[in-house]
C-alpha cells in the first residue's frame, strides 16, 4: 500500500466543507412584536384598541404567509381566454398560495376593517394591517387596497349597498358567480386608457344609457386593468353628460358573464403574483355612481385611499428590506466582527432605519387624518394634501432604499430566496400607479392654490413641533415663504414637495420622541448628509437607532 492511498478520508467522503457564518432562516418572524416603531405609531395615532388583532396578523404574516409568498410570485398568473370547447371565459388562474394569502388578508380585515368597525382608530389599524401584509406579499395588496378604497364611492349609490356591505363582511369567495351568491366581494378599478392615464379626461370609452335606473352599456377599453378576477370594477367612461363613474360587475345578476374581454396580461417588471390586464368592453353592463360628468370627483375618494396605501406599501417594502438587512448583519461576521458592529455598516443600517421609521410615521399620521376627516375639517384638509405629499416622497424613496438594504447582504441579497430581488422589482411601482410622481406634485400645487385650508393644515402640523429642533424650525420658516407663490411654481414643484415631506416626517418623529428624530433632522433638513444612505453625521446615536430597529 502506498503512502498516497492512506491519506484518502474514510468517512464523510462527499463533505467538502462546513457551512458556517450564515444567518438562520428569517421566518418565522413576528412582524408586530419585532417592530417597536409600528407598535408606537399605532398607539400614537389612535389604533391601540386593535393591538391584539394586529399582533395576530403580524405573527401570521411573518410565518405562513411569508413562506407561501415565494411560490405565489414564482408561478405567475395565467390568462385563459377560452375553455377547451372554445367558449370565451376570460379567466385568470393564480397559484393556490395567492388565494390562501388573499383569503387570510380579507378575513383579518386588511380590506374591510375600517368599514366593518367604523370607530376611531379603525383606519389606523387597517393601515397597520396593510403595512404588515404588504411586507410579505405586495401583489395581493393591489386587489386588497382597491377593495378597501372602493367603499366610500359605492356608498354614493344606495342601490349598490350590497357591494359595500360585502366588502365590510371581510370574507374571501373566489367563485365567479353573481354577488348575490357571495359572502364577500373584491373590487378593481379601470381608469387608464392607451391615449392617457394621468389625464383621464382623455378617456374615450363610451357609456350609453340603457334605463332611467342608471344602467349603461360600455364600449371601449382600458390599457391597465389590474386584478381582473375581482367581482366588480369602478370604471370611468364618457356618458352623454361627460366623464362619469360606473360600477361594472364581472357577473350579471342573472349569472351571465358581463361583456368584457381580457385581451392579454402585462409582462411586468415585478408585482408578479398579481395579474394586470388589458381589457375591452363590448357592451358591458354598468351602473352609474354619482352624476354624469362628475366621474373624476366621484372616483377621487377612492384614489385618495389607494394613494395612502401606496405610502403604506412603500413604507412596508422599506421595513421588510431593513429587517432582512438587520437579520443578516446580526449573524454574519466579516473581518472578525459581526457586520452590525462594523462602524460603517452601522451608519448604513441606522440611515435605513430612520428612513424606514419616517416613512411609516408619516403614513400612519395620514391614516389618523383619514379617520378623523368626517368630523374634523382641519384633519380632512391635512389628509387631502399630506396624502399627495407623502405619496410622492415615500414612494420615491423605496427603490434606492431597497437596493441599499440588498447590498447589506452582499451577493445573497441579489438571490431570489432572500426576498430582496422581489422587493426591488416591486419598489418602483407605487410611485408610478395611482398618479405618478409629477402628478402628485402638481396636485399639491393645486391644493395649495385652490384649497388654502390645506396649506394651513400643513403649517399647523409643523407649528405643533415648533421649538423641538432648529433644523425643522428653519425649514418651516422657509416653507412659509415658498407657499406664497407655490401656485406659479410648477417647474420647482418637486423640490417644494420634497421639503414639505421631510418637514412633515421630522415633525411627526419629533413629537413622537423617536430616537431617530435628531439624526433625521440633522441629515435630511440640516444638510449633514451625503447623497447616498449611510452618510449620517458621525456622532449620531447609532446604538439607539439600530437597536430600536431590531428590538423585540
Ligand atoms: C402594474 C401596473 C398596474 C396598473 N393597474 C391599473 C389599474 O388597475 N387601473 C388603472 O386605471 N390603471 C392602472 N395602472 C395605470 C397607472 O395608474 C398609470 O400608468 C399611471 O397613472 C400613469 O399613466 P400613464 O401610464 O398613462 O402615463 P402618462 O399619463 O403618459 O404619464 C407619463 C409621465 O408623465 C408625467 N406627467 C403627466 N402629466 C404631466 C404634467 N402635466 N407635467 C409633468 N409631468 C407629467 C407622469 O407623472 C408620468 O411620470 C397600472 C399601472 C401599472 C404599471
Amino acid at each position: 500500500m502506498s503512502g498516497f492511498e492512506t491519506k484518502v478520508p474514510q468517512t464523510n467522503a462527499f463533505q467538502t466543507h462546513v457551512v458556517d457564518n450564515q444567518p438562520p432562516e428569517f421566518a418565522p418572524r413576528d412582524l408586530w412584536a419585532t417592530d417597536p416603531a409600528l407598535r408606537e405609531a399605532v398607539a400614537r395615532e389612535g389604533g391601540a384598541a386593535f393591538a391584539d388583532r394586529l399582533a395576530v396578523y403580524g405573527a401570521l404574516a411573518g410565518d405562513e404567509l411569508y413562506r407561501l409568498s415565494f411560490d405565489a410570485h414564482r408561478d405567475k398568473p395565467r390568462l385563459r381566454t377560452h375553455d377547451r370547447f372554445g367558449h370565451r371565459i376570460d379567466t385568470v388562474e393564480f397559484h393556490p398560495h395567492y388565494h390562501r394569502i388573499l383569503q387570510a388578508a380579507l378575513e383579518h380585515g386588511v380590506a374591510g376593517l375600517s368599514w366593518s368597525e367604523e370607530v376611531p382608530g379603525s383606519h389606523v389599524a387597517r393601515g397597520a394591517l396593510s403595512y404588515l401584509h404588504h411586507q410579505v406579499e405586495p401583489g395581493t395588496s393591489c386587489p386588497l387596497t382597491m377593495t378597501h378604497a372602493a367603499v366610500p364611492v359605492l356608498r354614493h349609490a344606495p342601490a349598490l349597498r350590497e357591494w359595500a356591505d360585502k366588502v365590510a363582511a371581510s370574507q374571501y369567495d373566489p367563485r365567479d358567480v353573481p354577488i348575490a351568491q357571495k359572502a364577500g366581494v373584491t373590487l378593481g378599478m379601470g381608469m387608464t386608457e392607451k391615449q392617457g392615464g394621468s389625464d383621464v379626461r382623455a378617456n374615450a370609452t363610451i357609456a350609453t344609457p340603457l334605463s332611467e335606473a342608471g344602467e349603461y352599456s360600455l364600449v371601449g377599453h382600458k390599457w391597465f386593468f389590474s386584478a381582473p378576477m375581482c367581482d366588480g370594477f369602478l370604471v370611468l367612461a364618457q356618458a352623454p353628460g361627460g366623464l362619469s363613474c360606473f360600477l361594472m360587475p364581472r357577473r350579471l345578476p342573472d349569472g351571465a358573464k358581463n361583456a368584457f374581454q381580457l385581451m392579454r396580461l402585462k409582462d411586468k417588471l415585478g408585482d408578479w403574483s398579481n395579474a394586470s390586464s388589458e381589457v375591452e368592453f363590448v357592451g358591458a353592463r354598468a351602473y352609474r355612481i354619482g352624476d354624469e360628468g362628475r366621474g373624476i370627483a366621484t372616483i377621487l375618494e377612492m384614489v385618495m385611499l389607494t394613494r395612502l396605501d401606496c405610502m403604506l406599501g412603500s413604507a412596508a417594502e422599506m421595513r421588510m428590506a431593513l429587517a432582512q438587512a438587520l437579520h443578516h448583519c446580526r449573524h454574519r461576521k466579516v473581518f472578525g466582527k459581526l457586520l452590525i458592529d462594523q462602524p460603517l455598516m452601522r451608519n448604513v443600517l441606522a440611515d435605513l432605519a430612520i428612513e424606514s421609521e419616517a416613512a411609516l410615521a408619516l403614513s400612519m399620521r395620514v391614516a389618523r387624518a383619514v379617520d378623523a376627516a368626517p368630523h374634523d375639517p382641519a384633519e380632512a384638509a391635512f389628509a387631502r394634501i399630506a396624502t399627495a405629499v407623502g405619496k410622492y416622497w415615500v414612494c420615491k424613496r423605496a427603490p434606492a432604499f431597497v437596493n441599499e438594504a440588498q447590498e447589506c447582504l452582499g451577493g445573497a441579497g441579489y438571490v431570489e430566496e432572500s426576498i430582496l430581488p422581489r422587493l426591488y422589482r416591486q419598489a418602483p411601482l407605487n410611485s408610478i400607479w395611482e398618479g405618478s410622481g409629477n402628478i402628485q406634485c402638481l396636485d399639491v400645487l393645486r391644493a395649495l392654490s385652490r384649497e388654502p385650508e390645506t396649506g394651513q393644515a400643513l403649517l399647523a402640523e409643523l407649528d405643533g413641533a415648533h421649538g423641538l429642533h432648529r433644523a425643522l424650525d428653519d425649514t418651516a420658516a422657509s416653507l412659509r415663504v415658498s407657499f406664497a407663490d407655490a401656485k406659479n411654481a410648477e417647474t420647482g414643484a418637486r423640490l417644494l414637495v420634497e421639503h414639505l415631506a421631510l418637514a412633515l416626517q421630522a415633525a411627526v418623529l419629533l413629537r413622537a420622541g423617536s430616537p431617530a428624530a435628531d439624526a433625521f433632522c440633522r441629515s435630511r433638513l440640516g444638510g449633514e448628509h451625503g447623497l447616498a444612505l449611510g452618510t449620517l453625521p458621525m456622532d449620531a446615536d447609532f446604538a439607539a437607532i439600530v437597536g430600536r430597529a431590531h428590538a423585540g
Side-chain angles (χ1 to χ4, degrees), residues 177-179 215 249-259 284-287:
V177 295
I179 75 143
E215 263 185 284
R250 183 173 179 77
R251 286 274 157 192
L252 298 175
D254 64 4
K257 175 178 169 316
N258 204 355
R285 191 74 56 87
Y287 309 97

Side-chain angles (χ1 to χ4, degrees), residues 412-446:
Y414 203 68
V415 175
E416 289 292 335
E417 290 154 312
S418 75
I419 208 182
L420 282 152
R422 187 195 331 157
L423 285 175
Y424 187 64
R425 288 191 297 270
Q426 189 79 29
L429 184 50
N430 278 330
S431 72
I432 292 176
W433 62 11
E434 304 305 316
S436 312
N438 286 355
I439 295 301
Q440 300 308 313
C441 295
L442 296 175
D443 192 37
V444 172
L445 296 191
R446 194 175 309 115

